[in-house]
Amino acid sequence: MKLSIFKSTTKDGIFSTDKKYFPNLTHEEIKLLHEVTISKFLNKYNLKDKVLIINDKCLDKAKTITNKTTSNKSKILILKETIKDTIVGVETEDDPVIVATAKDEKNHQVAAISLLTLENLKNNLLTEIVDKMILETNKAPFEMTFYIGATPSQQYYEIDKSEIDNSIFNNAIIKKRKKYYLDIRLVIFNELQKEIVDPNMMYFDSTDTVESTDYFSKFNNNCGKNLICIKFIDD
């Protein structure tokens, strides 16, 4: 089995049920459109699997997916290669997706998947991911692999002054003309190093969501949500 990641583009539509993206539609119309948009995207890859969604509204503690799991409110989902016909889909605008992987004691692959919003980072999400992976696999952090998805570069990632009063942002902020810009990749790198993750096992997608026409981005006023799908498939 191998872990595959499928990324939507702006041409695939907006993956969200947030009314701000569809002000002229009813709640039921938005829900139906959301289901159709996901189905069309999966059809591109001949996928018919159940999709469990993570977005910035998911705030519950980490949850391990079983074959009976049908919905999600958790900010971290644990997906094992033994769970069939299941996809984790992360809805995101600029915030990077993170996927941690390792093999358990039975040599089965395990993945922890989440969304690295600023709020999640400030609330020690990376520590939660590492701790959960240790419990699920009995592996040390330096034996795990981490993929971090596309996100804006520092020159575009403007944050409010009220958001910078947090120790995790030390040395990752520059000030230009009374505005503050965050190097979120550096924040993630530093926090993972604190968890004793091997730097050589961190893989950062270098794509800039502001510059790429494939991604929605609030920083270039192309607002919407992409869908990043994670699934174990046969080799």
Side-chain angles (χ1 to χ4, degrees), residues 114-180:
S114 192
L115 181 62
L116 291 175
T117 64
L118 289 185
E119 202 60 33
N120 279 342
L121 280 168
K122 289 188 285 187
N123 289 328
N124 300 314
L125 180 79
L126 293 175
T127 298
E128 289 185 50
I129 290 173
V130 171
D131 288 349
K132 187 64 175 175
M133 286 292 288
I134 291 171
L135 286 173
E136 293 286 347
T137 67
N138 202 30
K139 289 292 194 299
F142 54 80
E143 298 177 283
M144 302 172 190
T145 300
F146 291 80
Y147 164 82
I148 297 92
T151 193
S153 299
Q154 185 174 34
Q155 62 182 317
Y156 300 117
Y157 206 121
E158 183 183 349
I159 63 173
D160 189 85
K161 185 179 180 181
S162 63
E163 295 180 300
I164 68 175
D165 188 20
N166 192 296
S167 61
I168 70 167
F169 297 148
N170 289 347
N171 304 317
I173 291 175
I174 58 173
K175 184 179 179 181
K176 291 183 179 179
R177 301 192 182 103
K178 298 183 179 180
K179 294 183 178 181
Y180 297 87

Side-chain angles (χ1 to χ4, degrees), residues 29-220:
E29 288 171 336
I30 293 171
K31 184 178 178 181
L32 178 59
L33 177 61
H34 184 247
E35 292 172 354
V36 170
T37 305
I38 291 176
S39 180
K40 285 184 177 179
F41 175 63
L42 296 183
N43 283 340
K44 290 172 56 175
Y45 302 98
N46 296 316
L47 298 174
K48 304 290 183 182
D49 307 81
K50 170 179 61 182
V51 182
L52 300 174
I53 296 294
I54 297 175
N55 55 37
D56 54 10
K57 295 180 176 63
C58 293
L59 301 175
D60 289 355
K61 292 182 179 180
K63 178 168 68 176
T64 300
I65 298 168
T66 71
N67 288 320
K68 295 181 179 179
T69 306
T70 58
S71 61
N72 177 57
K73 293 184 180 179
S74 298
K75 57 189 174 183
I76 302 169
L77 284 177
I78 305 299
L79 179 63
K80 300 181 180 181
E81 69 171 35
T82 52
I83 301 300
K84 306 298 182 184
D85 304 321
T86 300
I87 294 171
V88 175
V90 187
E91 297 173 350
T92 179
E93 179 184 49
D94 293 309
D95 296 316
V97 172
I98 184 166
V99 184
T101 56
K103 289 187 176 181
D104 63 18
E105 293 174 311
K106 295 182 179 179
N107 207 36
H108 292 147
Q109 296 182 83
V110 178
I113 303 152
S114 192
L115 181 62
L116 291 175
T117 64
L118 289 185
E119 202 60 33
N120 279 342
L121 280 168
K122 289 188 285 187
N123 289 328
N124 300 314
L125 180 79
L126 293 175
T127 298
E128 289 185 50
I129 290 173
V130 171
D131 288 349
K132 187 64 175 175
M133 286 292 288
I134 291 171
L135 286 173
E136 293 286 347
T137 67
N138 202 30
K139 289 292 194 299
F142 54 80
E143 298 177 283
M144 302 172 190
T145 300
F146 291 80
Y147 164 82
I148 297 92
T151 193
S153 299
Q154 185 174 34
Q155 62 182 317
Y156 300 117
Y157 206 121
E158 183 183 349
I159 63 173
D160 189 85
K161 185 179 180 181
S162 63
E163 295 180 300
I164 68 175
D165 188 20
N166 192 296
S167 61
I168 70 167
F169 297 148
N170 289 347
N171 304 317
I173 291 175
I174 58 173
K175 184 179 179 181
K176 291 183 179 179
R177 301 192 182 103
K178 298 183 179 180
K179 294 183 178 181
Y180 297 87
Y181 296 88
L182 177 69
D183 187 341
I184 192 170
R185 292 186 178 93
L186 180 58
V187 172
I188 296 165
F189 179 86
N190 288 340
E191 290 303 298
L192 286 176
Q193 275 205 308
K194 291 178 185 176
E195 299 296 331
I196 323 178
V197 173
D198 183 349
N200 295 313
M201 302 297 277
M202 303 180 203
Y203 299 91
F204 286 83
D205 187 328
S206 62
T207 303
D208 189 315
T209 56
V210 178
E211 295 181 348
S212 173
T213 57
D214 287 338
Y215 288 86
F216 292 105
S217 174
K218 63 185 177 184
F219 295 108
N220 66 8

